Amino acid sequence: MTAITVLTCALLAGGALTAPFASASVRGDDGSGAGLVQRWFSWYSGRSGHASQPAAEPASLPTSWPTAWPAQPGVSGIGTAPSIAATSAAPTAPATGAPARGGNCADVEVVFARGTGDLPGLGVLGTPLVSAIRSALPGRTVNAYGVNYAADASQASAGPGATDMSRHVRTVAAACPGTRFVIGGYSQGATVTDIAIGIPFGASAGEAIPAGLAARVAAVVVFGNPLGIMHQTISQRSPVYGPKTREFCSLGDPICGNGANSAAHLQYMTDGSVQQAAQFVAGKVTGA
């Protein structure tokens, strides 16, 4: 998967996009995606006081997208993808996909929220992350759940996503007393995670994971977290989750680091962040 393919799947929106983009197509006015990128940076520059624009945009973007995401073993919350327009519609109702008590319980349950415009399921970053976590935890069973939310070009979808993440954790925790959780997200999915651990961001509200289950969450990993727009991190905001959180923000990323390089937001799949995150998770799960 190239960075160009990822651009619309994860598109820079994070949880930061608001009204100027709520009705915009994820692929942009001309079908290429470049229009939305430019509008985002124009809006972002006005909001933050940054006058700089990204150093460069991809020369071209794909004009068609996959219609289904490959099935992954031990992963729930994945199915045939709707059209991009459908993905940008109102958030879907929460669905936990949790096992019945005593059913298919795993040692570890990864709950991951994809980025804006990505296909339903774990997404372009969550899928390799789960694979890497499984490799880093030999001898342990690992299930995964892709948060069920719209991931649209509006901050409004992050709150319902947080509710789905929190309800899934709560339901699996009740059914599987021995399961520990790894939660996280990419771009807008990181905002989902913020809200789920009790850090409000923007105008979208959602349910947080119950305080009594915080100890069951072994690790939190986020990539390109829009919380950085406010010059904040999970480690600063949450004394409960901060010590078990790893936050990845590439140099120049405009979403988490107030940078001006749009490509930096697309590098987490290929810059070693996934492997580092998996090793961090393994350490937290095993206590190493």
Side-chain angles (χ1 to χ4, degrees):
M1 168 108 33
T2 66
I4 290 176
T5 304
V6 170
L7 182 56
T8 296
C9 294
L11 189 63
L12 302 183
L17 291 181
T18 51
F21 304 97
S23 63
S25 166
V26 173
R27 279 161 50 181
D29 295 338
D30 61 358
S32 69
L36 182 54
V37 173
Q38 189 60 43
R39 287 198 300 278
W40 191 92
F41 274 98
S42 296
W43 172 84
Y44 170 76
S45 297
R47 173 189 172 102
S48 64
H50 287 201
S52 58
Q53 295 292 317
E57 293 178 3
S60 62
L61 292 165
T63 57
S64 62
W65 301 90
T67 57
W69 193 258
Q72 300 292 325
V75 178
S76 58
I78 287 182
T80 301
S83 66
I84 292 295
T87 307
S88 300
T92 53
T96 64
R101 188 173 182 87
N104 184 30
C105 295
D107 297 319
V108 177
E109 177 98 1
V110 181
V111 185
F112 195 86
R114 70 197 190 279
T116 300
D118 203 349
L119 296 176
L122 294 170
V124 295
L125 204 155
T127 300
L129 176 64
V130 169
S131 178
I133 290 173
R134 287 187 173 125
S135 296
L137 290 171
R140 284 179 167 82
T141 54
V142 178
N143 282 347
Y145 174 76
V147 172
N148 181 17
Y149 83 118
D152 61 16
S154 165
Q155 186 176 344
S157 63
T163 296
D164 185 73
M165 175 181 279
S166 300
R167 289 180 179 178
H168 181 78
V169 169
R170 187 175 63 208
T171 302
V172 175
C176 304
T179 295
R180 301 184 72 192
F181 296 89
V182 174
I183 62 174
Y186 173 35
S187 195
Q188 185 178 176
T191 300
V192 168
T193 308
D194 294 336
I195 298 171
I197 61 176
I199 302 174
F201 184 78
S204 185
E207 295 177 14
I209 295 169
L213 292 178
R216 297 275 298 272
V217 178
V220 181
V221 288
V222 293
F223 307 82
N225 191 352
L227 190 63
I229 293 174
M230 310 303 293
H231 303 284
Q232 297 175 353
T233 65
I234 292 174
S235 296
Q236 293 169 336
R237 292 288 304 274
S238 176
V240 174
Y241 290 96
K244 49 189 173 184
T245 296
R246 181 71 184 271
E247 302 173 72
F248 294 87
C249 182
S250 294
L251 181 65
D253 187 333
I255 304 304
C256 58
N258 286 282
N261 179 11
S262 60
H265 194 62
L266 311 176
Q267 295 174 351
Y268 300 105
M269 288 68 71
T270 58
D271 67 358
S273 294
V274 167
Q275 290 71 30
Q276 292 177 47
Q279 290 303 315
F280 173 79
V281 165
K284 291 297 184 182
V285 170
T286 63

